[in-house]
Amino acid sequence: MRIDRADRRDVAGLALLKWQDVPDELTAGRSFDEFTAELAAWWSLHEDTHSAFVARADDGEPVGVAWVAMLPRVPRPGAAHRVSADVQSVFVLPEHRGRGTGRALVAAACAHAVSLGAGRVTVHSSEEAVTLYRGLGFADSPRLLQFLPPTDT
């Protein structure tokens, strides 16, 4: 297995991984080709802020992905170029889990964010992945809060 920074040639593979990462009811009646085009268009609009890292099997096929979003922060005196990062949409095919693939993907995404000057990297984790993130140095923060807008029921 190897980890690469994804590029445009990887869009179909990244789309397939995302397609497999969601419940069947979200893909039912939808076209995979349309989703691939949507992902490609979205990435074109966000290529300055979002990078994807792909895990490849020995045959080169994508088996996992992690995205990292860079968020510019408001300057302050003495720090004109502040940035934070958020790890997003980490997914490894079930048959490739338990081999360190997710850990390697997240580590690559974090290293990329830090190389671009991120002062912090956050993640919204599933319950199952909390241990993985803690093992990579992520910690709970009493000051990082979230606001969830009310939903219509």
Side-chain angles (χ1 to χ4, degrees):
M1 183 227 17
R2 73 176 197 268
I3 306 295
D4 296 317
R5 186 166 173 196
D7 62 30
R8 296 270 168 241
R9 295 169 294 187
D10 294 306
V11 168
L14 297 174
L16 183 58
L17 289 167
K18 191 64 182 169
W19 190 267
Q20 294 172 311
D21 184 28
V22 299
D24 291 342
E25 61 264 16
L26 294 180
T27 58
R30 296 206 23 125
S31 161
F32 174 73
D33 291 336
E34 285 177 19
F35 174 67
T36 301
E38 291 168 356
L39 179 62
W42 176 88
W43 200 7
S44 289
L45 292 173
H46 298 91
E47 63 189 344
D48 291 341
T49 57
H50 288 69
S51 297
F53 291 85
V54 62
R56 299 182 197 281
D58 292 338
D59 63 3
E61 286 300 307
V63 298
V65 63
W67 290 82
V68 63
M70 303 302 295
L71 177 66
R73 300 191 65 211
V74 175
R76 68 174 186 226
H81 303 285
R82 300 183 331 139
V83 64
S84 292
D86 187 54
V87 173
Q88 302 176 348
S89 296
V90 178
F91 175 73
V92 175
L93 292 173
E95 60 271 23
H96 291 273
R97 293 178 186 161
R99 302 178 194 173
T101 305
R103 177 176 299 278
L105 284 164
V106 174
C110 289
H112 176 72
V114 169
S115 78
L116 294 177
R120 84 167 62 103
V121 180
T122 59
V123 66
H124 181 204
S125 178
S126 67
E127 249 183 77
E128 300 83 22
V130 169
T131 302
L132 176 138
Y133 291 111
R134 286 192 175 134
L136 286 166
F138 284 79
D140 296 331
S141 170
R143 296 182 307 153
L144 185 60
L145 308 173
Q146 69 177 351
F147 171 77
L148 300 175
T151 59
D152 295 331
T153 55

